[in-house]
Amino acid sequence: MDKKTKIYIGLFILAILGYLYLENAKKKPVNWFPSYVATHKIPYGTYVLYNELPKMFPSTKIKTITIPPFLYLEDSTQVGTYFFVNDLLNFGDAEFLRLLKFVERGNDVFISTHGVQIDTLNFETKKLVSKNFEEKVFFKFKNKAFKGKEYAFDRAFPNHVFKKIDTLRTTVLGITGYLNADDERTEEGVNFVKYSYGKGNLYLHTFPEAFTNYHILNSPNQQHTANLLSYIRTDIPILWDAYYKTGKSKITSPMHYLLNSKYLKWAYYVALFGILIFILFEGKRKQRSIPVIVPLKNQTLAFTHTIANMYFEKEEHKNIAEHKITYLLEFIRTKLHISTINIDKGFYKNVAQRSGNSYEDVIKLFKLCDDIHMKNKISIYELVKLNKMIEKFKNTVQNGK
């Protein structure tokens, strides 16, 4: 290696070291991602609330639920206040029906999220739009015990209010709106209600930011959060939902862990730079070999076989089942010419008539598919059962029986 090359390498290494120093010295920007995860200390995490709950409810048991409500509430003996807070919440029809039955037995459900749309209970929301040049938002409780104090929030957010509610069973608990430059109200609407159902209550709230670290740590907003939580009963456990969260609550891969550690990330980048330098200078010292061009082969079947074995050996039965369900729907669209957008009673009837399968068998097949969708993992026996039912369905179609 000549002197000129050594100088270039030295300058390159100095440039990398200088870049790493500047990156390390640079102030890390604030992460405003709306995670709502109890372990996150970022502004829109719920670390403060989760750790303060035992102090606010010293005689109340607090349980963290990491599975879907549909599965947790299979046990009809469960009691408590199911507490949901997230940017967006999308319950399936079957899951929400199970939540209603949970409330009907004498329990409570507290839901704080943007845009609550519940047709079965006659609830509908809309975004509250301000015509003011500067948006100054306020929140106020209807309960006279809170002395009419108003609270504010200094960041932009989608402010939703209820435009349609069931007035017979619903109690308005709080409102929100906007103020102009003269502190006069220009727009307002209901953002917090209680819906009585059976022996329990369903609380619906459209400002989940009230439970985040940023809101609670900005005085006097902690009192706003405390007032909201005052509606939670103390005689039954609080069931903290950790499943429906926008942010990740756990490390999902080694690379995710590597890139989220400041020092490991830069060690990884330095290693990549070192490998790149080695390739550049080592490649010049060797003669490039003449490539042998081999005719392309059709490896589709072998590739499919390899991927299938990989899933099976890793016991990823859930992934295999999901693929089989996808191919089943494609089979129905192409062979039976039936749309699979809406899977309902009409869909089951059309499939049964065109496939030659009985209406009951079609319902059993798609009921099993729905059960698999709702689970995080399935057993080999469930996978085998699904495969047998799908093969039976297809054989009936192809044999015309």
Side-chain angles (χ1 to χ4, degrees):
M1 185 180 297
D2 56 17
K3 184 178 180 181
K4 188 176 181 181
T5 302
K6 292 180 179 178
I7 293 174
Y8 287 148
I9 294 175
L11 292 174
F12 184 71
I13 294 174
L14 286 175
I16 293 175
L17 293 175
Y19 175 76
L20 294 178
Y21 173 77
L22 292 175
E23 284 293 326
N24 187 55
K26 186 170 62 175
K27 185 178 180 180
K28 189 176 181 180
V30 177
N31 182 3
W32 291 100
F33 179 72
S35 75
Y36 295 94
V37 175
T39 57
H40 287 183
K41 298 181 181 179
I42 59 177
Y44 283 170
T46 54
Y47 177 84
V48 175
L49 173 63
Y50 186 77
N51 286 274
E52 289 297 319
L53 279 179
K55 301 176 184 177
M56 300 175 67
F57 299 90
S59 61
T60 304
K61 184 178 180 180
I62 300 172
K63 296 174 63 178
T64 301
I65 312 302
T66 59
I67 60 176
F70 184 83
L71 298 179
Y72 181 75
L73 297 179
E74 280 184 335
D75 181 1
S76 60
T77 63
Q78 298 289 1
V79 296
T81 299
Y82 218 134
F83 187 81
F84 297 91
V85 55
N86 196 44
D87 187 34
L88 294 172
L89 285 169
N90 294 306
F91 299 113
D93 292 339
E95 187 169 55
F96 189 74
L97 180 61
R98 189 159 286 182
L99 280 171
L100 285 181
K101 290 182 179 179
F102 175 71
V103 173
E104 189 177 25
R105 294 195 298 267
N107 302 288
D108 289 350
V109 170
F110 194 110
I111 299 175
S112 182
T113 185
H114 293 302
V116 179
Q117 308 293 337
I118 306 176
D119 295 334
T120 55
L121 300 183
N122 207 27
F123 280 102
E124 190 175 339
T125 59
K126 66 176 181 178
K127 186 175 181 180
L128 189 63
V129 180
S130 172
K131 298 179 182 178
N132 302 329
F133 182 74
E134 293 184 1
E135 292 186 350
K136 294 169 61 179
V137 67
F138 74 89
F139 301 96
K140 185 177 179 180
F141 294 97
K142 287 292 187 178
N143 193 330
K144 294 181 180 180
F146 300 138
K147 301 179 181 180
K149 183 174 178 58
E150 295 183 358
Y151 300 91
F153 190 66
D154 58 1
R155 289 190 62 82
F157 71 100
N159 196 6
H160 286 81
V161 295
F162 290 95
K163 72 174 183 178
K164 183 179 180 183
I165 59 177
D166 185 346
T167 56
L168 296 178
R169 296 185 177 183
T170 304
T171 303
V172 175
L173 301 178
I175 62 173
T176 183
Y178 293 101
L179 304 173
N180 60 19
D182 298 323
D183 288 336
E184 298 173 339
R185 295 186 183 181
T186 55
E187 297 86 16
E188 67 176 58
V190 177
N191 79 323
F192 185 29
V193 298
K194 180 179 76 171
Y195 180 84
S196 299
Y197 189 82
K199 299 179 181 179
N201 298 297
L202 178 68
Y203 294 92
L204 300 175
H205 181 245
T206 64
F207 180 56
E209 287 85 354
F211 300 101
T212 61
N213 303 327
Y214 179 78
H215 185 76
I216 295 174
L217 295 178
N218 280 331
S219 183
N221 290 337
Q222 65 271 16
Q223 188 58 49
H224 178 211
T225 306
N227 292 345
L228 289 168
L229 295 174
S230 67
Y231 289 95
I232 295 179
R233 294 166 55 182
T234 59
D235 59 329
I236 54 177
I238 297 175
L239 309 177
W240 175 278
D241 169 64
Y243 180 79
Y244 283 115
K245 293 291 183 252
T246 304
K248 293 182 179 180
S249 58
K250 61 181 180 180
I251 296 171
T252 57
S253 68
M255 187 59 69
H256 181 269
Y257 176 79
L258 186 68
L259 296 180
N260 275 273
S261 172
K262 180 179 179 181
Y263 303 105
L264 290 177
K265 178 176 69 174
W266 286 112
Y268 174 70
Y269 289 157
V270 169
L272 288 181
F273 281 130
I275 293 172
L276 178 62
I277 293 173
F278 175 80
I279 293 173
L280 289 175
F281 289 96
E282 183 68 13
K284 290 184 178 181
R285 298 181 59 186
K286 296 181 179 179
Q287 183 179 0
R288 182 183 299 176
S289 59
I290 300 175
V292 177
I293 301 176
V294 180
L296 297 176
K297 296 180 181 180
N298 187 350
Q299 298 289 344
T300 304
L301 185 59
F303 175 78
T304 304
H305 183 72
T306 301
I307 295 299
N309 284 339
M310 181 184 71
Y311 275 115
F312 191 78
E313 290 173 1
K314 290 186 176 182
E315 296 184 355
E316 293 190 9
H317 305 134
K318 165 77 172 178
N319 285 332
I320 299 175
E322 292 288 356
H323 285 304
K324 295 193 74 66
I325 293 171
T326 300
Y327 296 146
L328 172 62
L329 295 177
E330 178 64 19
F331 178 85
I332 292 174
R333 289 192 295 269
T334 57
K335 296 295 183 181
L336 303 181
H337 306 290
I338 298 175
S339 172
T340 59
I341 296 176
N342 295 317
I343 299 179
D344 51 18
K345 291 182 179 179
F347 171 80
Y348 297 149
K349 184 177 180 181
N350 289 335
V351 172
Q353 290 176 347
R354 297 190 186 184
S355 67
N357 287 273
S358 67
Y359 182 74
E360 290 75 16
D361 288 342
V362 172
I363 291 179
K364 287 180 182 179
L365 174 58
F366 283 93
K367 175 63 170 60
L368 179 59
C369 293
D370 288 340
D371 291 341
I372 290 174
H373 283 315
M374 295 302 299
K375 295 180 179 180
N376 291 330
K377 291 183 179 181
I378 64 172
S379 66
I380 182 64
Y381 303 103
E382 291 173 294
L383 177 60
V384 171
K385 181 180 178 181
L386 174 67
N387 182 67
K388 287 181 178 179
M389 293 182 71
I390 291 176
E391 290 301 319
K392 179 182 177 182
F393 176 87
K394 290 183 177 180
N395 289 336
T396 303
V397 174
Q398 293 168 353
N399 295 332
K401 295 182 179 179

